[in-house]
C-alpha cells in the first residue's frame, strides 16, 4: 500500500515545491514590476518638473529689467532697522540693505559700472531717514573726488578723509569707541547695539564709515591689517563700514570678505574676479551699468540699482546742510 502511495506522495511534494517556488517567483516579479513602475512614474514626474522649470525660465527671460532707474527715495519704517533701498529686483520689488542686520557691506566691480552711484544712493537715503541725532557718517575717499561734496550735510562728521595719516587716526579712534561701546552695552547685560537701543533710553548712535576705493590703502599692509582688525572689533556695536573697490584681489577683497556677510557685485572683467567677490555669481556676464547681484541671507538678488548723481544729492538733501 505504502509502496503504491509513494509516487502519489512524491508527486504531491513535487507539486507543492513547484507551487511555492512559482509563488516566490511571482512575488519577486511583482517587486521588479513595481520598481519599474515607480521608476517610470519618477521619470514622468521629473519630466514634468523639467517642463515647469523651463516654463519658469522662459517667464524670467521675458521679464525685462530697466537699463536705467533714476534715483527714488523709498521710505522705510526705521524702528529696529538701519536700512535703505538701493534699487529694484527682477519682479520690481525694492531691494533693501539693512546694516543692523548684516553689518559691514562690500561693493565691488570693474571700474565705471556704478559703485559710487550705489554709495550716493545709500548716503542720500540714510540721511533722509535718520537725522543727525540718530546717525553719524564718516567719509574716506583716497581719490578725493566723489565723497567730499557730502561734507556739507548734517550727519557727516567733519571733512572727508583722504590721507593715510588721518585714516590711521580715525581707525584708532573707532577702535577706542568700539571698546567703550562694548563696555557700555555689556554692563547693562546686552551683547549688541540693537538689543541695547531697543530697551534703553540713552540710545547709541550708529556710525557708517564709507571708504571709496579701499585698494588705495591696501598697498600699505600695516594700515590694511589695522582696518580689517577694526572691522572685526566694532561691528556688533553699531559701527559699520561700506567698502568699495574695483580691484578684487586676494589682498583686498579676499581679506575684507571675511568681515562682510552681505556683498554687492557689479560687472567684472572675468570669472576669476567674479568668484573673488561672490562665488559662482557669474558677474562677468553682466553687461549693464548699475546692474548688480546682491548676496544676502543665502540668496543672490539680481538688482538694477538706482543711478544717483550729485544733482540728486543736492536736490534731495537741500534742507539738510550744516
Ligand atoms: N545705476 C546706474 N544705472 C545706469 N548707469 C549708471 C549707473 N551707475 C553708474 N552708471 C554709469 O556709469 C558711470 C560710472 O558710474 P560710477 O562713477 O558710479 O562708477 P564706479 O564704479 O564708481 O567707477 P570707478 O571705479 O571709476 O570709481 C556713470 O557716470 C553713469 O554713466
Ligand atoms: Mg567710483
Amino acid at each position: 500500500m505504502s509502496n503504491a502511495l509513494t509516487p502519489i506522495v512524491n508527486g504531491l511534494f513535487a507539486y507543492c515545491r513547484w507551487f511555492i517556488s512559482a509563488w516566490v517567483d511571482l512575488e519577486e516579479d511583482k517587486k521588479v514590476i513595481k520598481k519599474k513602475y515607480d521608476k517610470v512614474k519618477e521619470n514622468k514626474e521629473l519630466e514634468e518638473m523639467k517642463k515647469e522649470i523651463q516654463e519658469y525660465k522662459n517667464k524670467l527671460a521675458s521679464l525685462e529689467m530697466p537699463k536705467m532707474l533714476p534715483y527714488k527715495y523709498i521710505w522705510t519704517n526705521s524702528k529696529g532697522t538701519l536700512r535703505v533701498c538701493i534699487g529694484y529686483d527682477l519682479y520690481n520689488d525694492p531691494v533693501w540693505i539693512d546694516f543692523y542686520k548684516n553689518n559691514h557691506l562690500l561693493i565691488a566691480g570693474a571700474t565705471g559700472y556704478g559703485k559710487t552711484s550705489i554709495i550716493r544712493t545709500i548716503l542720500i537715503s540714510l540721511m533722509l531717514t535718520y537725522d543727525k541725532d540718530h546717525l553719524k557718517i564718516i567719509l574716506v575717499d583716497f581719490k578725493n573726488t566723489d565723497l567730499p561734496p557730502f561734507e556739507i550735510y548734517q550727519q557727516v562728521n567733519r571733512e572727508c578723509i583722504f590721507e593715510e595719516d588721518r585714516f590711521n587716526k580715525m581707525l584708532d579712534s573707532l577702535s577706542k569707541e568700539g571698546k567703550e561701546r562694548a563696555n557700555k552695552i555689556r554692563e547693562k547685560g546686552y551683547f549688541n547695539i540693537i538689543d541695547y537701543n531697543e530697551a534703553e533710553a540713552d540710545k547709541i548712535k550708529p556710525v557708517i564709515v564709507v571708504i571709496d576705493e579701499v585698494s588705495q590703502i591696501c598697498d600699505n599692509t600695516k594700515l590694511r591689517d589695522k582696518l580689517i582688525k577694526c572691522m572685526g572689533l566694532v561691528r556688533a556695536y553699531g559701527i559699520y563700514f561700506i567698502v568699495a573697490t574695483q580691484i578684487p584681489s586676494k589682498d583686498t577683497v579676499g581679506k575684507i570678505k571675511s568681515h562682510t556677510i552681505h556683498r554687492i557685485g557689479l560687472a567684472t572683467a572675468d570669472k576669476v574676479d567674479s568668484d573673488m567677490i561672490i562665488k559662482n555669481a557669474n558677474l562677468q556676464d553682466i553687461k549693464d551699468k548699475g546692474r548688480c547681484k546682491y548676496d544676502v541671507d543665502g540668496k543672490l538678488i539680481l538688482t538694477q540699482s538706482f543711478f544717483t548723481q550729485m544733482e540728486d544729492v543736492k536736490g534731495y538733501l537741500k534742507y539738510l546742510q550744516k
Side-chain angles (χ1 to χ4, degrees):
M1 178 75 178
S2 67
N3 279 352
L5 280 176
T6 306
I8 298 170
V9 171
N10 284 347
L12 263 173
F13 269 129
Y15 176 74
C16 286
R17 236 183 284 129
W18 171 82
F19 181 79
I20 289 166
S21 72
W23 182 76
V24 170
D25 282 351
L26 193 70
E27 282 307 300
E28 281 305 308
D29 282 353
K30 268 190 198 165
K31 274 185 201 161
V32 170
I33 289 169
K34 168 109 177 51
K35 251 188 199 165
K36 280 187 181 166
Y37 172 77
D38 286 348
K39 198 116 199 143
V40 170
K41 202 172 140 201
E42 221 172 72
N43 281 344
K44 222 173 162 186
E45 277 169 9
L46 212 67
E47 280 308 311
E48 271 165 20
M49 268 163 73
K50 273 187 194 163
K51 224 168 110 189
E52 266 174 34
I53 290 171
Q54 194 51 47
E55 276 169 14
Y56 182 67
K57 273 187 180 169
N58 293 345
K59 229 184 207 171
L60 275 188
S62 69
L63 279 173
E64 280 250 328
M65 287 186 97
K67 289 210 186 305
M68 210 279 278
L69 285 174
Y71 175 72
K72 186 173 164 192
Y73 173 63
I74 302 188
W75 182 83
T76 173
N77 180 359
S78 59
K79 200 173 175 295
T81 66
L82 187 63
R83 68 175 204 159
V84 290
C85 171
I86 57 157
Y88 288 103
D89 69 6
L90 202 53
Y91 309 99
N92 221 14
D93 287 331
V95 177
W96 297 97
I97 285 185
D98 189 344
F99 293 97
Y100 269 171
K101 195 170 162 215
N102 296 306
N103 312 156
H104 308 311
L105 172 70
L106 174 73
I107 306 173
T111 179
Y113 273 88
K115 297 180 292 296
T116 301
S117 172
I118 294 176
I119 289 177
R120 287 197 196 108
T121 302
I122 294 174
L123 287 177
I124 301 192
S125 302
L126 278 175
M127 287 196 253
L128 289 171
T129 312
Y130 308 91
D131 66 24
K132 64 178 177 10
D133 295 329
H134 295 91
L135 178 70
K136 181 163 108 180
I137 293 170
I138 297 174
L139 305 170
V140 182
D141 180 356
F142 289 101
K143 290 196 268 183
N144 199 14
T145 51
D146 295 313
L147 296 187
F150 283 91
E151 287 170 353
I152 57 170
Y153 300 108
Q154 292 169 8
Q155 291 90 332
V156 178
N157 184 49
R158 308 219 185 100
E159 294 119 57
C160 181
I161 294 168
F162 55 88
E163 297 143 338
E164 286 195 356
D165 186 39
R166 280 189 61 209
F167 183 68
N168 190 21
K169 283 184 185 143
M170 179 205 81
L171 290 179
D172 285 336
S173 84
L174 282 181
S175 299
K176 191 169 160 247
E177 189 169 344
K179 280 178 196 152
E180 284 167 6
R181 286 176 173 218
N183 289 338
K184 190 173 174 179
I185 289 170
R186 286 204 203 116
E187 258 170 30
K188 299 250 174 156
Y190 305 101
F191 293 100
N192 58 55
I193 185 177
I194 306 165
D195 296 339
Y196 179 96
N197 276 353
E198 205 139 89
E200 297 294 323
D202 70 325
K203 312 275 184 228
I204 297 176
K205 206 196 286 192
V207 178
I208 297 280
V209 186
V210 187
I211 308 178
D212 202 358
E213 203 37 80
V214 76
S215 64
Q216 304 242 346
I217 57 130
C218 285
D219 296 339
N220 182 336
T221 50
K222 251 187 169 175
L223 214 48
R224 179 200 64 197
D225 292 345
K226 197 168 174 176
L227 163 68
I228 287 159
K229 198 171 160 204
C230 181
M231 287 175 80
L233 199 80
V234 300
R235 71 158 180 245
Y237 310 112
I239 300 172
Y240 308 117
F241 284 81
I242 299 173
V243 179
T245 186
Q246 67 184 61
I247 303 175
S249 75
K250 248 189 182 168
D251 286 338
T252 53
V253 167
K255 300 220 165 185
I256 286 164
K257 238 167 73 170
S258 58
H259 290 295
T260 53
I261 53 169
H262 60 154
R263 296 162 204 135
I264 296 174
L266 293 121
T268 58
D270 51 42
K271 188 160 166 48
V272 177
D273 282 1
S274 172
D275 283 343
M276 182 52 76
I277 301 165
I278 306 167
K279 191 106 188 108
N280 294 329
N282 290 322
L283 301 170
Q284 76 280 1
D285 295 338
I286 294 179
K287 301 284 173 268
D288 300 307
K289 296 191 171 190
R291 182 74 47 92
C292 57
K293 292 189 182 176
Y294 179 39
D295 180 17
V296 66
D297 300 335
K299 284 180 289 180
L300 203 54
I301 308 172
L302 183 65
T303 306
Q304 183 62 35
S305 58
F306 295 128
F307 179 32
T308 309
Q309 306 175 77
M310 256 340 274
E311 296 315 307
D312 300 306
V313 176
K314 286 180 199 156
Y316 275 94
L317 301 182
K318 209 162 36 189
Y319 302 108
L320 286 176
Q321 292 194 18
K322 283 175 186 160

